[in-house]
């Protein structure tokens, strides 16, 4: 690693080549900002109640009292039931005999039944979501409400699979090819989801999107970290990719506000992905990875092209002194088992897996919960994305001037403190609780950004992508169960 830095020092820190790689790789991360979070809107559950068929001959009084009242667990008030109605046959009988509900009839004595004719949904916020999908009659409510959090968990199962597969593929076949293949998978499959005819088909495709989602992000992160010079690498790995991820996240509620049908929203989010095809000719392969595979001539060609773009004359020989050492390094193929083989790397890996798991539970539970917060769902989601901007900026400042362990431990601690204080707030101080939650989200996001860059520094080139993929894979236990934390 040190020899590589010395050999390529003549390129400088921030020439045209580094600028091109920095911004183009950051651009590839923007779709990750909304592909991982659009479930907040497309799977939100609007207010709903049982349908009373229009052709049923009920008086206005009985139609208005057709839904029983239940005690709401949050507010403690009586609200109309979402999953039951008074038995239709009994209401017809009482209505035909001229009895009035609540006057002539004690409503507690009228039997109830489930929503046999379906549900009617409030459309003041959403035209449709996968929960309310009327044409295909998905109706993921009441007895089928368990499918809602499972949908998000299936996405994160895809992320788990992608973390396991893509890291090893990237270390074996190259960063660039895996980056563009996973970007294509994420874009094309999301487009196909628009036409999903059923919930099982939606979940199957959503699983594949999860695979592409994490693979794209991790590979872009590693590729930039390996190409860029040390100082620029610190900015890229903390604030760079993260700020562009946040930009995509902030774009999501803005588009969702105008496209309130879930299929149209996905279509609007998918189409920009096709604009990334030309980047294949502008983003190079990682010279470090080529060297680790013994492909010295290809690595040297990329560095010479970089020197040309930076208007610098390269030395006659760049990597020749490293050739023998690097080719010996590639004589043995490494895999995920090597993360546990030696005691030093084993304890680093186990500790990082625990930290990553903790962070994913906090980050995704808080992000997916924005639709349930008091106030406007679109505004809350935008604020949740907005707080990530100072978080990623802070991560760069801390990574630049603080020690790695202090940066990570302090942000983890502050995230826990802010979220703990939420429990101490009186129920009527809603906005103060939301402020504390957003501050906790900011601290957790800062820690998440730091742990990515810290992890990349702790492993050698031949294991770096596998290590990041393994950490991401281990953390998916947390992200898979994060949707269920919303119900606490």
């Amino acid at each position: 690693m040190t020899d590589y830095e010395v050999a390529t020092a003549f390129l400088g820190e921030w020439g045209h080549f580094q600028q091109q790689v920095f911004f183009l790789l950051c651009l590839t991360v923007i779709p990750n900002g909304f592909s991982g979070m659009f479930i907040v809107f497309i799977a939100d559950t609007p207010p709903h109640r049982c349908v009373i068929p229009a052709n049923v001959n009920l008086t206005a009084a009985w139609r208005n009292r057709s839904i029983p009242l239940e005690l709401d667990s949050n507010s403690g008030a009586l609200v109309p039931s979402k999953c039951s109605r008074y038995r239709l046959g009994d209401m017809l009988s009482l209505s035909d005999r001229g009895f009035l509900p609540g006057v002539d009839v004690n409503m507690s004595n009228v039997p109830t039944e489930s929503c046999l004719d379906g549900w009617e949904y409030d459309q003041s916020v959403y035209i449709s979501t996968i929960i309310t999908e009327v044409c295909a009659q998905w109706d993921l409510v009441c007895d089928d409400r368990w499918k809602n959090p499972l949908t998000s968990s299936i996405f994160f199962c895809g992320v788990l699979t992608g973390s396991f597969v893509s890291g090893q593929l990237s270390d074996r076949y190259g960063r660039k090819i895996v980056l563009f293949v996973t970007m294509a998978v994420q874009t094309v499959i999301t487009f196909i989801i628009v036409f999903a005819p059923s919930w099982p088909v939606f979940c199957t495709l959503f699983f594949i999107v999860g695979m592409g989602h994490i693979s794209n992000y991790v590979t872009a992160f590693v590729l930039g970290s390996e190409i860029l010079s040390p100082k620029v690498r610190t900015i890229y790995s903390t604030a760079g990719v993260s700020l562009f991820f946040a930009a995509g996240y902030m774009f999501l509620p803005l588009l969702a506000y105008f496209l309130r049908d879930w299929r149209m929203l996905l279509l609007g989010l998918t189409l920009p992905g096709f604009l990334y095809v030309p980047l294949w000719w502008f983003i190079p392969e990682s010279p470090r990875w080529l060297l680790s595979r013994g492909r010295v001539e290809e690595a040297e060609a990329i560095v010479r092209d970089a020197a040309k773009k930076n208007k610098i004359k390269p030395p006659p020989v760049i990597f020749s002194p490293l050739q023998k050492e690097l080719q010996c390094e590639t004589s043995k193929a490494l895999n995920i088992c090597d993360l546990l083989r030696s005691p030093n790397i084993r304890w680093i890996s186990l500790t990082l897996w625990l930290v990553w798991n903790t962070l994913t539970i906090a980050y995704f539970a808080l992000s997916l919960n924005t639709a349930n917060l008091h106030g406007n769902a679109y505004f809350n989601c935008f604020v949740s994305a907005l707080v990530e901007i100072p978080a990623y900026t802070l991560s760069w400042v801390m990574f630049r001037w603080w020690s790695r362990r202090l940066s990570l431990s302090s942000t983890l601690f502050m995230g826990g403190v802010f979220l703990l204080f939420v429990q101490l707030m009186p129920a009527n101080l809603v906005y103060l609780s939301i402020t504390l939650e957003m501050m906790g989200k900011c601290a957790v996001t800062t820690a998440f950004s730091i742990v990515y860059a810290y992890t990349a520094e702790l492993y050698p080139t031949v294991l770096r992508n596998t290590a990041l993929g393994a950490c991401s894979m281990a953390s998916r236990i947390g992200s898979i169960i994060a949707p269920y934390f919303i119900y606490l």
Side-chain angles (χ1 to χ4, degrees), residues 49-60 62-64 66-67 84-89 91-92 95 113-120:
R49 53 180 284 174
C50 294
V51 166
I52 306 298
N55 59 355
V56 174
N57 189 24
L58 285 176
T59 63
W62 277 100
R63 191 172 288 275
N64 291 336
S66 59
I67 306 299
S84 63
R85 67 186 184 188
Y86 291 114
R87 188 183 295 169
L88 198 55
M91 286 194 294
L92 275 171
S95 177
E113 62 185 4
S114 59
C115 300
L116 301 178
D117 297 294
W119 292 261
E120 59 182 38

Side-chain angles (χ1 to χ4, degrees), residues 20 46 59 130 141 223 253 265 274 284 286 341 348 355:
Q20 175 180 304
T59 63
I130 65 170
V141 293
L223 181 56
L265 174 59
F274 293 99
S286 166
R341 201 174 302 279
I348 289 174
V355 172

Side-chain angles (χ1 to χ4, degrees), residues 57-298:
N57 189 24
L58 285 176
T59 63
W62 277 100
R63 191 172 288 275
N64 291 336
R65 291 292 302 273
S66 59
I67 306 299
L69 298 178
E70 296 179 347
L71 188 66
D72 182 71
S73 58
N74 293 324
S75 63
L78 289 174
V79 296
S81 173
K82 298 178 180 179
C83 301
S84 63
R85 67 186 184 188
Y86 291 114
R87 188 183 295 169
L88 198 55
D90 291 342
M91 286 194 294
L92 275 171
S93 175
L94 293 168
S95 177
D96 290 342
R97 291 158 61 187
F99 293 119
L100 293 176
V103 178
D104 304 315
V105 178
N106 184 350
M107 298 305 292
S108 62
N109 295 328
V110 181
T112 60
E113 62 185 4
S114 59
C115 300
L116 301 178
D117 297 294
W119 292 261
E120 59 182 38
Y121 298 95
D122 178 74
Q123 293 187 323
S124 61
V125 178
Y126 307 105
I127 295 175
S128 72
T129 68
I130 65 170
I131 308 299
T132 72
E133 181 57 48
V134 178
C135 297
Q137 296 182 336
W138 295 8
D139 292 322
L140 308 184
V141 293
C142 298
D143 290 342
D144 284 335
R145 64 183 179 273
W146 58 271
K147 295 180 180 179
N148 187 357
L150 181 61
T151 304
S152 297
S153 294
I154 287 173
F155 171 82
F156 289 115
C157 285
V159 174
L160 169 65
T161 307
S163 302
F164 178 74
V165 174
S166 66
Q168 297 185 72
L169 289 177
S170 178
D171 281 338
R172 177 162 297 188
Y173 298 107
R175 314 324 195 192
K176 180 177 176 179
I177 184 67
V178 173
L179 172 65
F180 281 90
V181 167
T182 53
M183 287 174 62
V185 166
Q186 186 172 227
T187 300
V188 173
I189 300 301
T190 305
F191 178 77
I192 296 175
I193 288 180
V194 174
F195 307 99
S198 64
W199 180 75
V201 173
F202 176 92
C203 289
T204 301
L205 296 172
F206 202 30
F207 175 88
I208 301 173
V209 171
M211 291 179 62
H213 169 82
I214 190 63
S215 304
N216 169 18
Y217 186 88
V218 172
T219 308
F221 179 89
V222 171
L223 181 56
S225 298
E226 292 183 348
I227 292 178
L228 297 170
S229 53
K231 290 183 179 179
V232 180
R233 185 188 310 139
T234 300
I235 301 175
Y236 174 82
S237 59
T238 52
V241 288
S242 302
L243 287 173
F244 279 75
F245 175 90
Y249 189 3
M250 292 170 64
F251 173 72
L252 171 63
L254 298 177
L255 188 63
Y257 180 81
F258 295 101
L259 299 177
R260 303 200 178 195
D261 175 89
W262 74 270
R263 295 184 189 270
M264 290 299 100
L265 174 59
L266 285 190
L267 186 61
L269 294 173
T270 299
L271 294 179
F274 293 99
L275 301 176
Y276 286 90
V277 174
L279 297 187
W280 172 267
W281 289 275
F282 298 95
I283 295 177
E285 181 57 271
S286 166
R288 290 179 191 267
W289 177 81
L290 290 170
L291 288 171
S292 72
R293 308 303 294 179
R295 295 157 62 176
V296 179
E297 293 181 359
E298 294 176 59

Side-chain angles (χ1 to χ4, degrees), residues 173-439:
Y173 298 107
R175 314 324 195 192
K176 180 177 176 179
I177 184 67
V178 173
L179 172 65
F180 281 90
V181 167
T182 53
M183 287 174 62
V185 166
Q186 186 172 227
T187 300
V188 173
I189 300 301
T190 305
F191 178 77
I192 296 175
I193 288 180
V194 174
F195 307 99
S198 64
W199 180 75
V201 173
F202 176 92
C203 289
T204 301
L205 296 172
F206 202 30
F207 175 88
I208 301 173
V209 171
M211 291 179 62
H213 169 82
I214 190 63
S215 304
N216 169 18
Y217 186 88
V218 172
T219 308
F221 179 89
V222 171
L223 181 56
S225 298
E226 292 183 348
I227 292 178
L228 297 170
S229 53
K231 290 183 179 179
V232 180
R233 185 188 310 139
T234 300
I235 301 175
Y236 174 82
S237 59
T238 52
V241 288
S242 302
L243 287 173
F244 279 75
F245 175 90
Y249 189 3
M250 292 170 64
F251 173 72
L252 171 63
L254 298 177
L255 188 63
Y257 180 81
F258 295 101
L259 299 177
R260 303 200 178 195
D261 175 89
W262 74 270
R263 295 184 189 270
M264 290 299 100
L265 174 59
L266 285 190
L267 186 61
L269 294 173
T270 299
L271 294 179
F274 293 99
L275 301 176
Y276 286 90
V277 174
L279 297 187
W280 172 267
W281 289 275
F282 298 95
I283 295 177
E285 181 57 271
S286 166
R288 290 179 191 267
W289 177 81
L290 290 170
L291 288 171
S292 72
R293 308 303 294 179
R295 295 157 62 176
V296 179
E297 293 181 359
E298 294 176 59
E300 191 165 295
I302 292 174
V303 175
R304 290 189 183 280
D305 181 64
K308 182 179 179 181
K309 289 179 178 177
N310 288 353
K311 298 180 179 179
I312 295 172
K313 184 177 180 180
V317 177
I318 301 176
F319 294 123
S320 183
L322 305 176
Q323 190 167 356
K324 182 177 179 181
E325 176 189 347
L326 290 166
Q327 287 177 340
C328 291
E329 186 180 0
T330 62
S331 60
K332 178 185 176 183
L334 300 178
N335 55 47
I336 196 170
C337 296
D338 291 285
L339 298 176
L340 300 172
R341 201 174 302 279
S342 64
N344 182 40
I345 291 184
R346 182 189 307 128
W347 285 112
I348 289 174
S349 299
L350 291 174
T351 306
L352 285 174
W353 292 349
L354 175 62
V355 172
W356 278 66
N357 201 51
T358 305
L359 286 170
T360 50
I361 291 175
Y363 179 84
F364 287 106
L366 293 173
S367 298
L368 295 175
N369 191 51
T370 52
N372 298 320
L373 296 178
H374 180 81
N376 185 278
Y378 300 101
F379 179 75
N380 288 336
C381 183
F382 181 80
V383 172
S384 181
L386 186 63
V387 298
E388 296 195 5
I389 300 296
Y392 294 135
T393 305
L394 179 61
S395 70
W396 170 73
V397 172
M398 297 178 76
F399 212 73
R400 178 70 176 84
W401 283 285
W402 289 21
S403 70
R404 306 314 192 223
R405 290 192 294 180
L406 178 60
S407 299
L408 185 56
S409 60
S410 61
T411 48
L412 280 166
F413 177 78
M414 292 307 299
V417 168
F418 286 131
L419 296 179
L420 182 61
F421 281 169
V422 174
Q423 309 304 316
L424 307 178
M425 294 298 106
N428 60 318
L429 299 179
V430 176
Y431 291 105
L432 180 57
S433 296
I434 293 177
T435 300
L436 286 171
E437 180 175 2
M438 293 301 174
M439 293 173 69

